[in-house]
Amino acid sequence: MNWTYSCPHCESMLNPDETVVLIGECGAHRILIGFHPQPGTYQAYLPPGFEIQEASIWKFSCPVCGRSLVTDATPELCALDMATQGVRHRLFFSRIAGEHATFVISAEGTKMFGKDANRHSLEMLDLV
């Protein structure tokens, strides 16, 4: 299945190949990070030699417009727009390193992915 990811602010495509590319910032570190596009697959592609500390909190932003992807409703999550087979979705993902929590919201409902998804309240996002 093909997923197309875009910035919710500028609508720029964020996965020109097989990875979703975002700017990640944590402390003094600011790097480009690639993510596997399939919801629920928690593989990240990092610069050579770079390691992410477990439980560190990252701020993600669009590499095109630079705006933050952190949600206002719950600051532990970031949001992207996603389309598959012509259907638009909003994807929320945890910004805590090592936490596996992803939510795909569409007119059809909500799909939760990851062992830590139950840790988050969808009511905070006004989605249920």
Side-chain angles (χ1 to χ4, degrees), residues 10 48 61:
C10 71
S61 56

Side-chain angles (χ1 to χ4, degrees), residues 12-62:
S12 293
M13 179 188 235
L14 300 175
N15 62 320
D17 60 10
E18 277 121 42
T19 60
V20 179
V21 179
L22 302 176
I23 295 172
E25 296 179 69
C26 183
H29 302 291
R30 187 171 198 260
I31 60 173
L32 283 176
I33 301 177
F35 294 95
H36 194 284
Q38 183 173 339
T41 301
Y42 298 98
Q43 184 173 2
Y45 305 96
L46 305 171
F50 192 86
E51 292 184 24
I52 291 181
Q53 181 180 351
E54 191 79 13
S56 57
I57 299 175
W58 286 76
K59 175 186 172 192
F60 293 102
S61 56
C62 173

Side-chain angles (χ1 to χ4, degrees), residues 10 12 24 52 75 80 83 90 94-95 124-125:
C10 71
S12 293
I52 291 181
L80 293 173
R90 177 60 57 100
S94 175
R95 61 193 204 107
M124 301 249 338
L125 298 172

